[in-house]
Amino acid sequence: SGNDAARLLVRASSTDTLYMVAENGSAAAIAVHTLPQVEKLSDGLPFNKTSPLHENDHLVAMFTLPARRSDLPEDTCVLTVSRGGLLKKSLISSLPGPSAQSFTLAKVNDGDALGWVGLTDGNKEILLASSQGMAIRFKEDDIRPMGLVSAGVNGIKLSVGDIVIGAEVLPENGEVFLMATDGKAKRVPISDFPTQGRYGKGVIAWELP
């Protein structure tokens, strides 16, 4: 009908822990096996009924971690990116397990909002793109791991009125898919984006009208 449409999708096993993250930086950890198993989306429960998050929290991301975190690389971190271009990495060892209490995954400044969350292994590169067509690529190790209550560091110098509209942990090879608000789209090889230092203006990814 268009009224019940899935917005976030995550692959998980019943022994995993699911982390749900809101745009204000609040997060909840839930044991996957406690979630109801249903055939239709409409038969599921509201997220605030299965977690300590509030009904008016706006969810922006979900990710899962296995019950045995030792199975993941030692330097595995969760990366958060805000619309204002702030990035933060936190070691997964600092994340709480399933709990009836929510926690702060990242401090979000007034007027800003989280937009993206991803897992990294300490050796990746990150690409940020802005609404005015700029993009910057830099190495993940430009960001040191921080505590959960930190706001993070700047990733890109934004012009007045500009915001981050895309953030990706890059694969070794591939392409970047860009789409504009008028429906036009294009693909750009990752290699076309030069690796720079964090918090530069970046390069023109698309000269938008």
Side-chain angles (χ1 to χ4, degrees), residues 89 122-126 138-144:
K89 285 196 319 184
N123 300 303
K124 294 292 194 298
E125 290 188 325
I126 299 165
F138 54 88
K139 293 184 179 298
E140 175 191 343
D141 57 17
D142 283 355
I143 312 168
R144 63 176 179 82

Side-chain angles (χ1 to χ4, degrees), residues 37-48:
Q37 185 171 342
V38 297
E39 293 294 329
K40 295 190 298 182
L41 184 64
S42 57
D43 292 336
L45 294 175
F47 70 89
N48 59 297

Side-chain angles (χ1 to χ4, degrees), residues 101-138:
Q101 302 294 323
S102 62
F103 67 97
T104 299
L105 180 62
K107 179 184 176 183
V108 177
N109 296 328
D110 292 341
D112 200 358
L114 282 190
W116 301 269
V117 178
L119 294 177
T120 67
D121 62 8
N123 300 303
K124 294 292 194 298
E125 290 188 325
I126 299 165
L127 182 79
L128 304 180
S130 80
S131 63
Q132 294 182 9
M134 303 300 292
I136 188 169
R137 173 188 177 188
F138 54 88

Side-chain angles (χ1 to χ4, degrees), residues 36-110:
Q37 185 171 342
V38 297
E39 293 294 329
K40 295 190 298 182
L41 184 64
S42 57
D43 292 336
L45 294 175
F47 70 89
N48 59 297
K49 299 294 186 183
T50 60
S51 77
L53 293 175
H54 301 294
E55 181 180 4
N56 58 353
D57 284 332
H58 181 224
L59 294 185
V60 294
M62 297 192 303
F63 65 95
T64 59
L65 290 176
R68 287 181 36 162
R69 299 184 186 182
S70 58
D71 293 341
L72 297 174
E74 183 179 355
D75 293 329
T76 301
C77 288
V78 56
L79 172 76
T80 62
V81 184
S82 79
R83 298 283 179 181
L86 283 176
L87 297 91
K88 197 194 75 167
K89 285 196 319 184
S90 298
L91 290 167
I92 60 170
S93 58
S94 66
L95 298 180
S99 172
Q101 302 294 323
S102 62
F103 67 97
T104 299
L105 180 62
K107 179 184 176 183
V108 177
N109 296 328
D110 292 341

Side-chain angles (χ1 to χ4, degrees), residues 150-202:
S150 301
V153 295
N154 289 297
I156 183 172
K157 288 184 179 178
L158 296 170
S159 300
V160 176
D162 202 5
I163 60 170
V164 173
I165 51 85
E168 286 292 336
V169 177
L170 294 174
E172 290 185 7
N173 300 295
E175 296 175 319
V176 175
F177 184 86
L178 300 170
M179 178 176 284
T181 53
D182 63 0
K184 291 185 175 65
K186 68 175 182 176
R187 295 183 299 168
V188 182
I190 290 176
S191 57
D192 282 7
F193 297 93
T195 301
Q196 305 178 5
R198 177 184 59 80
Y199 198 40
K201 284 195 170 184

